Amino acid sequence: MARIKFENVKKTFGKVYALDGISFEIHDNEFFVLFGPAGAGKTTILNCVAGILIPDEGTISFNDQLMNLVDPARRNVAMVFENYALYPNMTVYDNMASPLRSKLYKTDENTIKEKVNGAAKMMKMENLLERLPSQLSNGQKQRVAMGRALVRDPNVFLMDEPLAHLDAKLRNAMRTELKEMQASLGSTCIYVTHDFMEAMALGDRIAIINKGKIIQVGSGDEIYYMPTNEFVASLMGEPQINIIPSTIKAEGNKYDLCFDVLGKEISMEMPVDEKVMAKIDELDLRCADIGIRPQHIQYSFEKIEGYFKATVYSYESIGNKSVIIADCGDYQIRMIAPNGLRVQIDSDIYISPEVEKSIVFDSGSKKYIVRYDEETVKAFATKQEVR
Amino acid sequence: MMNTSKQRVLTALMNILLLIYAVFALFPLLWMVMISFKADTEVFTTTFIFNPTLANYKEVLFRSNYARYIIDSLIVSGGAVLVSVVVGVPAAYALARYNFPRKEELAFQILSFKFAPEILVVLPLFMLYQKMGLYDSYIGLIWVYQLISLPLLIWVVRGYFEDISVEIEYAAQVDGYPWYQIFFKMLIPLIKPGLVSSALLAFIFAWNSFTFPLILASSKVYPVTVAITKYLGTDTARYGNLAVAATVSALPAIIFALFIQKHLVRGLSFGAVKG
């Protein structure tokens, strides 16, 4: 139950900036997800909140109270470590009871028993309580680590990829459970993950981190529909968004999108959207990267008027659907297809991108410029924030 | 059929070899114990039949200062191990956990104390000790024994600390434990096998040390290893007494070792293997 505020926090390890001027604010009772590629600085942020690391510069405060020099023990945070960090010489029960037995958070043994059993039940591991950590599988260890955090009533839960080593079924179940539990406990939670499904499903808000910097903070939909740059766009979504480097030719009220496919220049008329056209005129935009999600690519194996020709690079199943990747010369286009198609590699495929659902990025800075239907999307994406 | 008979021969052969080795290793000890029960006239006989007598034991244990020598040895060796544990465990922790300039060089320097033969450093030490008033004192011997016990302890325990992931300490911090509780409640149990076994070895090495106490102590401090030489006179060697002194002096180490034999084998190999 705390608001957490980072102001211009910097942390270096040797000459490497792990955190390079990070500022953000986490609201009370918020489920805040830190999302980014490996080595982005997500765990470093968690360690700074926990007090394990002390930032070189900047301030960290809980409820407007400066925390920089407060001991980890006195911050009242509960943390789930990525490598579990269980005490090898204690049983699962004692591991989970350990925070409640420390001097600071002393609780009587009956309450401890109740809480540990409650957490164990939730994690479905009542039968493991007498075991030692060395007798557990990785998924079980992870659940013990979660349990050790959940027995407490902290200012903030810090979770460093707590579901990463669970099997898919348990992971989905725990994801739902976790969200529900956080809502009922009414506690702030900072959650590190590199799984975008998890980020979207759990996060009230998501912060995208890369190279020690915050790239974007927003609700899942905001980030998905209006990514601040191409990096964020490519991070969110599986399969990855298609980026087509293009030029825009304007003639009066008509705008043509031109791009290169297998050495041939393709020209398509851009659908009219006032905001997009206004932005193009305002910036006098001539070069742009067009981002289109794979589900917005139409394709056919027969020639259709208005579709351009490319060759099939690969066809692979991702469960309930498949992904076709088409080779277009300098770049590739991914699209969603049903399972069970008979697709020959290197055969011709005819493609039509739905430009009216695309995002326009600056081709130089790779930053977001505008997207089709921006108003509708904005209304939809921000609606969730007013809770 | 071929296989099993071949195997049986092989096992028999191995057992015979082990037996020969056991006799080879234990016979001198046995002979020493036998001599300790012999009267002076029988010392040089090579038969196993003799008239056992306790005269040598009475002579050594009750009519000389031998008990005092044992106590001196216990004080000096025990003190040395105690100092090594108190100094060595934090040092090992620092070498395992913190990064500071020239860390590896420092660790190697500590190890290098064991490289030079004792006789090489003992003469300069003798002169220094004379000047500093450490000559022939408990503190002086305990100090110089650190050359023997400290490197061993630091290097073994360091390996143990390195095997403990640092997140365990973080987790304990976050759980609300102060540093001293983390150290004594979380870390010490985890390094205990290594600590116990290296401390025992250090004790044995310190107990058996001869060169240092011979030269750096004389009358006030008299460890057993040096005391034994008293029974070697200039004209005669009193073998009976000598055997008693040697037998008794070997007992503490044997008793300790038997007590923690399990720790000893497991302890020394455990820390080294990662994973």
Side-chain angles (χ1 to χ4, degrees):
Chain A
M1 275 155 282
R3 276 173 295 119
I4 294 165
K5 197 170 176 189
F6 269 54
E7 257 176 305
N8 195 29
V9 171
K10 287 187 185 170
K11 177 77 198 170
T12 53
F13 294 119
K15 281 177 186 162
V16 185
Y17 268 100
L19 299 181
D20 192 2
I22 294 245
S23 303
F24 62 83
E25 193 170 354
I26 301 171
H27 309 152
D28 214 1
N29 297 348
E30 187 173 34
F31 204 115
F32 194 77
V33 172
L34 300 175
F35 180 61
K42 298 170 299 213
T43 303
T44 312
I45 293 180
L46 277 201
N47 286 343
C48 283
V49 177
I52 292 161
L53 294 176
I54 297 172
D56 301 337
E57 264 181 61
T59 60
I60 299 169
S61 49
F62 292 4
N63 292 331
D64 297 326
Q65 208 181 345
L66 191 65
M67 280 299 193
N68 279 41
L69 295 177
V70 177
D71 260 0
R74 299 190 175 275
R75 292 193 185 196
N76 194 12
V77 298
M79 186 156 177
V80 182
F81 290 85
E82 194 182 2
N83 66 352
Y84 331 123
L86 303 177
Y87 311 126
N89 52 332
M90 297 185 191
T91 63
V92 168
Y93 182 91
D94 289 335
N95 260 288
M96 287 168 69
S98 105
L100 302 176
R101 284 176 179 160
S102 70
K103 244 187 211 162
L104 277 172
Y105 309 116
K106 194 103 191 137
T107 322
D108 66 282
E109 284 295 324
N110 282 334
T111 323
I112 291 179
K113 199 167 180 188
E114 207 175 289
K115 288 214 169 192
V116 170
N117 285 336
K121 199 171 172 190
M122 192 165 115
M123 300 288 147
K124 301 184 180 56
M125 51 176 198
E126 298 104 312
N127 54 335
L128 304 177
L129 288 176
E130 296 310 314
R131 291 205 198 167
L132 286 172
S134 56
Q135 298 164 321
L136 301 176
S137 73
N138 279 347
Q140 289 168 332
K141 283 181 194 168
Q142 198 148 40
R143 279 183 278 159
V144 178
M146 286 278 279
R148 187 171 59 185
L150 295 180
V151 294
R152 294 181 49 189
D153 186 17
N155 275 327
V156 54
F157 285 110
L158 306 174
M159 305 199 174
D160 197 349
E161 310 210 9
L163 305 183
H165 295 278
L166 302 185
D167 60 79
K169 199 174 144 207
L170 193 58
R171 181 157 60 217
N172 288 341
M174 290 280 301
R175 197 156 70 194
T176 324
E177 195 115 22
L178 206 61
K179 182 81 186 167
E180 206 173 302
M181 178 210 80
Q182 190 262 349
S184 65
L185 280 180
S187 188
T188 315
C189 181
I190 308 181
Y191 189 99
V192 166
T193 182
H194 60 226
D195 177 346
F196 107 98
M197 301 260 282
E198 231 168 81
M200 293 286 280
L202 286 171
D204 292 329
R205 282 191 306 154
I206 301 172
I208 310 280
I209 320 275
N210 191 29
K211 292 179 184 158
K213 287 200 165 96
I214 291 206
I215 310 293
Q216 188 174 11
V217 180
S219 74
D221 285 330
E222 254 179 284
I223 287 177
Y224 185 77
Y225 289 109
M226 293 193 288
T228 187
N229 59 22
E230 287 180 22
F231 170 76
V232 176
S234 67
L235 221 49
M236 304 298 282
E238 179 62 42
Q240 221 176 304
I241 194 170
N242 296 300
I243 304 284
I244 306 175
S246 327
T247 52
I248 295 169
K249 287 185 184 146
E251 280 178 31
N253 282 339
K254 195 164 158 281
Y255 297 85
D256 278 339
L257 196 64
C258 303
F259 49 90
D260 195 83
V261 178
L262 294 174
K264 259 168 61 181
E265 197 184 73
I266 307 291
S267 174
M268 298 179 81
E269 193 179 329
M270 288 177 87
V272 180
D273 178 304
E274 270 177 39
K275 192 129 191 228
V276 176
M277 301 316 160
K279 227 13 183 212
I280 290 173
D281 286 341
E282 182 193 321
L283 297 172
D284 196 22
L285 199 64
R286 288 297 163 262
C287 283
D289 285 353
I290 305 295
I292 305 177
R293 299 272 172 201
Q295 61 268 37
H296 298 141
I297 304 276
Q298 302 296 329
Y299 69 93
S300 162
F301 294 104
E302 257 110 65
K303 198 168 174 168
I304 295 182
E305 197 52 45
Y307 282 39
F308 60 81
K309 194 176 94 176
T311 52
V312 174
Y313 179 76
S314 80
Y315 172 69
E316 53 195 33
S317 169
I318 51 167
N320 58 355
K321 56 195 184 225
S322 297
V323 179
I324 300 177
I325 302 180
D327 188 22
C328 299
D330 293 339
Y331 56 95
Q332 292 174 329
I333 291 184
R334 285 162 287 269
M335 62 209 95
I336 304 285
N339 280 340
L341 291 183
R342 299 175 129 254
V343 181
Q344 293 283 322
I345 305 294
D346 286 339
S347 64
D348 290 347
I349 184 167
Y350 297 89
I351 298 172
S352 163
E354 293 175 37
V355 181
E356 68 273 18
K357 284 173 182 154
S358 65
I359 308 172
V360 182
F361 295 102
D362 189 294
S363 60
S365 66
K366 310 286 180 202
K367 284 214 169 84
Y368 176 89
I369 295 175
V370 71
R371 68 161 294 143
Y372 280 89
D373 280 335
E374 195 173 61
E375 293 304 322
T376 338
V377 167
K378 215 180 235 170
F380 166 70
T382 47
K383 191 172 60 193
Q384 294 192 323
E385 262 199 281
V386 189
R387 286 191 299 161
Chain B
M1 208 46 202
M2 255 305 273
N3 251 350
T4 48
S5 63
K6 209 174 171 185
Q7 261 173 1
R8 212 173 294 161
V9 172
L10 215 70
T11 1
L13 203 73
M14 294 236 283
N15 281 333
I16 291 169
L17 279 174
L18 274 176
L19 200 70
I20 294 173
Y21 175 72
V23 170
F24 179 78
L26 292 177
F27 186 76
L29 283 175
L30 181 75
W31 200 250
M32 179 178 80
V33 174
M34 273 171 58
I35 290 178
S36 73
F37 288 105
K38 284 178 176 175
D40 275 357
T41 48
E42 281 180 310
V43 161
F44 295 108
T45 58
T46 49
T47 54
F48 286 87
I49 303 146
F50 59 96
N51 297 319
T53 167
L54 286 174
N56 291 320
Y57 281 88
K58 277 182 195 151
E59 170 77 26
V60 170
L61 295 182
F62 300 116
R63 259 170 262 149
S64 75
N65 279 332
Y66 200 71
R68 208 206 101 196
Y69 307 147
I70 292 263
I71 289 171
D72 272 2
S73 256
L74 278 174
I75 291 174
V76 177
S77 308
V81 171
L82 205 71
V83 170
S84 282
V85 169
V86 170
V87 173
V89 173
Y93 180 84
L95 285 171
R97 278 287 183 266
Y98 300 124
N99 271 318
F100 46 87
R102 309 223 159 259
K103 178 172 100 167
E104 287 309 317
E105 283 87 338
L106 182 69
F108 190 74
Q109 162 108 52
I110 292 169
L111 188 65
S112 73
F113 291 155
K114 290 198 81 104
F115 290 171
E118 290 169 7
I119 197 77
L120 203 76
V121 291
V122 80
L123 277 177
L125 275 175
F126 173 75
M127 289 159 143
L128 281 171
Y129 267 42
Q130 292 270 3
K131 286 251 157 75
M132 292 164 77
L134 287 169
Y135 177 75
D136 200 15
S137 69
Y138 289 119
I139 293 177
L141 275 193
I142 287 174
W143 194 347
V144 80
Y145 278 6
Q146 296 312 311
L147 291 178
I148 301 167
S149 54
L150 197 57
L152 175 76
L153 196 114
I154 287 182
W155 273 76
V156 172
V157 173
R158 181 194 184 189
Y160 273 78
F161 275 128
E162 279 172 349
D163 281 357
I164 304 171
S165 91
V166 67
E167 274 85 5
I168 288 179
E169 286 171 52
Y170 295 159
Q173 283 180 29
V174 169
D175 280 353
Y177 291 96
W179 68 266
Y180 52 87
Q181 276 191 348
I182 297 174
F183 193 78
F184 288 110
K185 277 195 174 167
M186 308 288 180
L187 296 182
I188 294 291
L190 295 178
I191 62 159
K192 205 165 77 189
L195 185 60
V196 168
S197 53
S198 57
L200 172 73
L201 273 186
F203 180 83
I204 292 174
F205 290 157
W207 183 276
N208 290 344
S209 173
F210 177 71
T211 320
F212 286 142
L214 178 71
I215 297 186
L216 299 179
S218 67
S219 58
K220 285 187 221 132
V221 185
Y222 225 119
V224 279
T225 40
V226 183
I228 290 172
T229 59
K230 281 176 83 172
Y231 301 102
L232 288 169
T234 41
D235 45 351
T236 66
R238 285 148 68 200
Y239 285 110
N241 295 352
L242 201 61
V244 171
T247 309
V248 174
S249 80
L251 284 180
I254 293 175
I255 291 169
F256 281 136
L258 285 180
F259 258 115
I260 39 183
Q261 199 183 16
K262 264 189 187 165
H263 272 316
L264 198 66
V265 179
R266 192 170 162 268
L268 283 179
S269 58
F270 198 64
V273 184
K274 301 257 178 192

